[in-house]
Amino acid sequence: MLMQNAQTLSPTHPAKPVDRWAAEQNGAGTAGLDALGVRMAFARNAEIFGEGEPTSYVYKVVAGAARTYKVLDDGRRQISSFYLPGEVFGLEATETHHCSAEAVTRSVLLVIKRSALVSHAEAEHRTAHMLWALTARELQQVRTHMLVLIRSAQERVACFLLEMADRMGVTDQIELPMSRQDIADYLGLTIETISRTLTQLEGTGAIAVPTCRRILLRDRKALKRLHA
Amino acid sequence: MLMQNAQTLSPTHPAKPVDRWAAEQNGAGTAGLDALGVRMAFARNAEIFGEGEPTSYVYKVVAGAARTYKVLDDGRRQISSFYLPGEVFGLEATETHHCSAEAVTRSVLLVIKRSALVSHAEAEHRTAHMLWALTARELQQVRTHMLVLIRSAQERVACFLLEMADRMGVTDQIELPMSRQDIADYLGLTIETISRTLTQLEGTGAIAVPTCRRILLRDRKALKRLHA
DNA sequence: CGGATGCTTGACGGATTTCAACCATAGTGG
DNA sequence: CCACTATGGTTGAAATCCGTCAAGCATCCG
């Protein structure tokens, strides 16, 4: 459940301005959410919610990163999405979650009661439109990700790096919050292929990998060429 | 544009009861849409809308089938979804479509003005919830489809056959509206692999393929075993 | 009948997975 | 402080699966 690996920080703590930028990035004006939620900290790999659990809360990343995923019977895991600071996840139109969520690193999340949002949406159509827009934006991102999944390993990794840089608002250096296994499960590849592809891209001079979590984009054009 | 390959049938024609079942299948109570729309016929492979075009209309399949897709720079096409009778597509929260749509076979669609829906949603929160629920349902289906895309060819084809049978409301025999190329682009495979996999499944007795568009599910358990 | 289209089948090669060993880093306890 | 272990990452070799290229077949329609 929610409280297990989490620790409440400050109820109704006002949003810091740093959220503003990311909220606008999100494109659905989620800044209004900030006053409604409670901040909580989650340990690395802590469960945020499980598949099938009631959708009691909606989450917004304040710091750190989260992942949503499903697992197949054979144990393989597909990560649907990563969520970076300013991004919202866990919002469903149904009563239960249809995927699970975990903290990628130690993270701070804004936790908002879903019922408050839903009832507010019944009175204020702009709130209703925000909920719809948030879900629609996720749909668009997942559809875009499907396009990535049908490509070659090199192209998938290049797309991933560009996507992360874009969403983190940087251009030439990214600090990955997630492991190679996470990347593999997001891109539908194995960790060995991820590793090999990164060294391969490093060999062509497209990127540099000073430490395994830090990646420099040395030749964005070469990456974009793979991005299609 | 919309009218090019289409032919108006009867404005504000009342919905036939056959839609009712499929609408309930859709799970979002879209039966209320039926009175708002106009029926139009589309030829096989006719464009319904294109990527980037304004989202002026929402569509509900009355007869036939539709597909939504994106194309990569290299010409590869990824079909996001097929839509069967009773299902709704083309609904976006944004002002432009982010994928294209075509008729798979000669089809009849109910065409509904989006602006009517959106303004109705501002007054009636149940309509707003329906729009949200429709988008959320699509999100769920696309996420499920992502799970299919990371699997082996045999598993993908088995999943596809079971999904189609389920959505068409049948158990042991399906009449596919789409070509091998469509299936390939939906599953992220080539037509050759689709063909080979079908003959392979036929060899193990899981299915039978009397004609290339008609498929009998002879051993659902074997297929389900691949379905995970 | 002949051409077009769509489907099937075969042979081959390449890309990715699998299996395995090895390396780097960080944390632990003697 | 230094083994020692655990975890995560890299690298190599072999096997497998799927894509590519090519040919052949069936069906439809003029």
Side-chain angles (χ1 to χ4, degrees), chain A residues 20-35:
Chain A
R20 196 63 51 82
W21 173 84
E24 302 312 322
Q25 285 300 97
N26 212 314
T30 63
L33 295 179
D34 298 3

Side-chain angles (χ1 to χ4, degrees), chain A residues 152-153 188-190 192-193 196:
Chain A
S152 74
L189 299 167
T190 60
E192 294 95 332
T193 302
R196 268 188 265 265

Side-chain angles (χ1 to χ4, degrees), chain B residues 139-158:
Chain B
L139 175 57
Q140 188 184 343
Q141 286 177 340
V142 173
R143 282 219 178 106
T144 302
H145 190 52
M146 281 207 329
L147 284 185
V148 175
L149 291 182
I150 63 168
R151 311 176 71 138
S152 74
Q154 257 203 353
E155 293 171 325
R156 291 188 223 191
V157 172

Side-chain angles (χ1 to χ4, degrees), chain B residues 178-192:
Chain B
M178 72 286 288
S179 69
R180 296 286 188 270
Q181 186 64 63
D182 282 336
I183 302 174
D185 291 347
Y186 182 58
L187 298 179
L189 299 167
T190 60
I191 50 173
E192 293 94 332

Side-chain angles (χ1 to χ4, degrees), chain A residues 105-132:
Chain A
T105 62
R106 174 164 180 76
S107 302
V108 178
L109 305 181
L110 192 70
V111 181
I112 303 143
K113 264 198 121 56
R114 191 188 103 105
S115 57
L117 281 181
V118 170
S119 59
H120 191 264
E122 293 185 0
E124 178 59 66
H125 74 260
R126 288 172 55 182
T127 301
H129 192 278
M130 182 192 71
L131 296 182
W132 183 29

